[in-house]
Amino acid sequence: MENLLVKLKTFGDLHTKGAMLKDPNSTWPVLLGNKLNLPVENYGVKNGSNEEIIHLALSNSPTTEKSLIIIMTTFPDRVYWNNTSIDSSDTDEIYQQWLNNKFDIDSASDYQKIQIDRCKELLEYRGHKVYVFHIVEKLHEIKSQLDKGYKTYYNICRTVQPKHRGYYEEEAVAEWANYLYNLITGVK
């Protein structure tokens, strides 16, 4: 890893935020930051959309401090409107009508892949070291980094423990932090 990096910045949804964990110090960003001996800025957002994640990454990563940036994308059916992030589990009638009649998952996934790739390029141009990972691998998921053989968050976590209330807990999250550490540092 480049020794000029001054901090670890993480961007993603509630799995990055660690909203489902009992101990805020057991999030994968904190665990990874400790392993890398880097201070952490965690910009995880509950129900965050990929557009919101990209916006946060670009807004909070200036050229003045070189950071290790990890972006963990989320489901492409989450939408970011007017500073309000909503997803397909919301019951708002207008949103559901829009989702059913106007939303095209294939187009959204293609568009988000372009956005994520451009975001990564811009952050690298600013001097940051950037990794992009995905929460899950499914038919319509954005595939930009999966082509490089990176595993998804769910691929790693489910080898350790089953989901509890729909989320992975501390032991699985720690395994994800170990996976990222090994990948970033080249440890096998």
Side-chain angles (χ1 to χ4, degrees), residues 14-29:
L14 71 101
H15 296 281
T16 300
K17 182 178 181 67
M20 68 290 192
L21 302 173
K22 295 174 188 129
D23 179 4
N25 291 317
S26 66
T27 65
W28 67 261

Side-chain angles (χ1 to χ4, degrees), residues 3 8 19 24 28 54 67 118 120 129 137 164 168-169 177 181 184 187:
N3 56 4
L8 169 64
W28 67 261
I54 290 165
S67 300
R118 296 302 80 81
K120 182 177 187 287
K129 178 70 177 169
E137 180 178 359
H164 178 70
Y168 292 106
E169 294 183 342
Y181 176 79
I184 290 165
V187 174

Side-chain angles (χ1 to χ4, degrees), residues 95-113:
Y95 172 70
Q96 287 300 326
Q97 287 178 5
W98 176 83
L99 192 62
N100 292 335
N101 298 311
K102 302 290 184 190
F103 185 77
D104 176 41
I105 191 73
D106 293 323
S107 296
S109 294
D110 290 345
Y111 175 68
Q112 290 174 22
K113 180 190 181 306

Side-chain angles (χ1 to χ4, degrees), residues 8-10 20 22-23 33 51 53 58 60 73 83 94 98 128 150 159 164 169 174:
L8 169 64
K9 293 185 178 186
T10 58
M20 68 290 192
K22 295 174 188 129
D23 179 4
E51 289 172 326
I53 292 165
L58 293 173
N60 293 289
T73 66
N83 297 324
I94 294 171
W98 176 83
H128 304 290
Y150 293 172
T159 64
H164 178 70
E169 294 183 342

Side-chain angles (χ1 to χ4, degrees), residues 1 15 17 19 26 52 54 62 80 84 97 103 135 151-152:
M1 189 180 68
H15 296 281
K17 182 178 181 67
S26 66
E52 184 174 16
I54 290 165
Y80 185 56
T84 304
Q97 287 178 5
F103 185 77
I135 193 164
K151 295 184 178 178
T152 68

